[in-house]
């Protein structure tokens, strides 16, 4: 049986399991296809299509694990999904795969959010921004930060109710953190001038040290390190 036939068999079996809401069965099938492409990817490191197909099945396999978690609150499957996606985000960036990094990153963020692990989401975004800035170019990093900052700001508006105040706080905080990263790249004060006051920063759980560092960065117009909680 050649590679395409094996993959087709795994995919069809996975889809049948999914129709029956057997999420673990579907995961095992999609992960089987993922393993095939991982082997081919290692044997043929220059072949782009193997990497793309690996990431496709990574996305499908991790989604099955997330569905299993939502159906049965099985924390171990959520942890497993995180590991699959962390590896995929790394592959996508390291090998410059022509794949939607936002799809993989957003899925990974969704997993962390299901864990209420917001610090890991902050760390993930900062890590991706730094990698894009250093290994690609600052424009890639800036676009990434702008897209996610806008996304989180809009999400904070969509959940604007009293019972969601913790979520609003989180979305607002990370939106501001990403705006800070944009400013560190382009030093355009207009990017986030409306957010730079002590009370706003305190309201999204910036420590006094973070508040002072942020205001100093903005006032001096110099790119300096800000020691935010996600680095501690």
């Amino acid at each position: 049986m050649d590679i395409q036939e094996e993959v087709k068999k795994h995919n069809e079996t996975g889809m049948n399991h999914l129709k029956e809401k057997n999420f673990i069965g579907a995961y095992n099938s999609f992960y089987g296809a993922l393993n095939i492409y991982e082997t081919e990817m290692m044997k043929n490191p220059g072949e782009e299509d193997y990497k793309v197909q690996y990431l496709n099945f990574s996305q499908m396999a991790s989604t099955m694990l997330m569905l299993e978690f939502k159906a049965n609150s099985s924390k171990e499957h959520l942890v497993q999904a995180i590991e699959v996606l962390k590896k995929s985000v790394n592959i996508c960036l390291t090998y410059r795969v022509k794949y939607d990094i936002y799809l993989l990153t957003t899925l990974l963020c969704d997993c962390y959010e299901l864990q209420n692990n917001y610090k890991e989401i902050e760390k993930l975004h900062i890590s991706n921004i730094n990698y894009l800035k250093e290994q690609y170019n600052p424009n890639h990093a800036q676009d990434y930060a702008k897209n996610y900052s806008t996304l989180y700001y809009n999400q904070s508006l969509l959940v604007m109710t009293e019972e969601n105040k913790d979520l609003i706080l989180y979305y607002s905080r990370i939106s501001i953190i990403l705006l800070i990263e944009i400013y560190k790249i382009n030093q355009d004060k207009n990017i986030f001038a409306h957010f730079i006051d002590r009370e706003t920063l305190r309201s999204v759980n910036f420590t006094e040290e973070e508040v002072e560092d942020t205001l100093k960065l903005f006032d001096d117009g110099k790119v300096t390190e800000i020691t935010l909680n996600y680095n501690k």
Side-chain angles (χ1 to χ4, degrees):
M1 188 181 296
D2 65 20
I3 292 173
Q4 294 304 320
E5 288 179 350
E6 286 186 69
V7 169
K8 183 179 179 181
K9 183 177 178 181
H10 281 301
N11 190 51
E12 288 176 350
T13 303
M15 288 300 181
N16 288 334
H17 283 311
L18 179 57
K19 288 176 185 176
E20 298 167 357
K21 296 189 177 180
N22 177 2
F23 302 126
I24 295 304
Y27 161 76
N28 288 331
S29 296
F30 295 144
Y31 199 80
L34 179 153
N35 278 332
I36 291 171
Y37 281 119
E38 182 171 28
T39 299
E40 295 304 315
M41 190 171 66
M42 293 174 69
K43 290 193 297 187
N44 304 280
E47 182 57 55
E48 176 83 0
D49 186 60
Y50 291 142
K51 299 185 186 77
V52 170
Q53 292 303 326
Y54 172 93
L55 296 176
N56 279 334
F57 281 103
S58 164
Q59 179 255 320
M60 293 166 72
S62 58
T63 299
M64 295 305 103
L65 292 169
M66 291 171 69
L67 289 172
E68 179 66 19
F69 169 78
K70 290 178 180 179
N72 297 307
S73 300
S74 48
K75 293 182 180 179
E76 69 274 13
H77 290 121
L78 188 57
V79 171
Q80 201 172 351
I82 287 170
E83 292 307 311
V84 171
L85 287 166
K86 282 169 67 175
K87 182 176 179 179
S88 296
V89 168
N90 184 56
I91 287 172
C92 189
L93 289 174
T94 303
Y95 294 101
R96 297 173 177 254
V97 184
K98 293 178 181 177
Y99 197 83
D100 189 352
I101 185 62
Y102 295 101
L103 173 60
L104 296 171
T105 300
T106 301
L107 273 175
L108 183 49
C109 289
D110 288 346
C111 288
Y112 284 135
E113 195 167 319
L114 289 170
Q115 286 185 323
N116 294 318
N117 194 349
Y118 298 112
K119 290 298 179 188
E120 287 302 318
I121 298 178
E122 293 178 9
K123 288 180 183 179
L124 172 65
H125 286 310
I126 298 305
S127 174
N128 285 355
I129 288 168
N130 287 337
Y131 192 91
L132 289 169
K133 186 165 53 178
E134 294 164 10
Q135 301 298 326
Y136 287 67
N137 65 62
N139 288 335
H140 279 84
Q142 182 173 283
D143 289 344
Y144 176 103
K146 281 182 179 179
N147 287 336
Y148 272 110
S149 180
T150 301
L151 172 67
Y152 287 117
Y153 176 75
N154 289 337
Q155 284 182 317
S156 73
L157 299 178
L158 288 173
V159 297
M160 192 69 76
T161 59
E162 179 64 24
E163 60 267 26
N164 288 327
K165 61 182 180 181
D166 289 341
L167 201 53
I168 295 168
L169 175 66
Y170 162 67
Y171 288 148
S172 300
R173 173 184 165 83
I174 194 166
S175 179
I176 291 175
I177 287 171
L178 292 169
L179 287 173
I180 291 170
E181 292 302 315
I182 296 169
Y183 179 69
K184 287 164 73 175
I185 295 169
N186 65 21
Q187 298 186 38
D188 178 4
K189 292 187 178 184
N190 293 322
I191 280 290
F192 66 152
H194 297 299
F195 298 104
I196 300 307
D197 63 77
R198 281 184 170 77
E199 291 312 308
T200 300
L201 295 173
R202 286 169 179 159
S203 74
V204 292
N205 286 350
F206 273 47
T207 66
E208 288 305 307
E209 181 184 4
E210 292 169 358
V211 170
E212 294 305 319
D213 282 350
T214 302
L215 293 174
K216 184 175 184 298
L217 170 70
F218 187 74
D219 290 341
D220 291 350
K222 298 174 183 176
V223 177
T224 57
E225 283 302 313
I226 301 175
T227 307
L228 290 163
N229 285 332
Y230 53 72
N231 287 327
K232 293 180 181 178

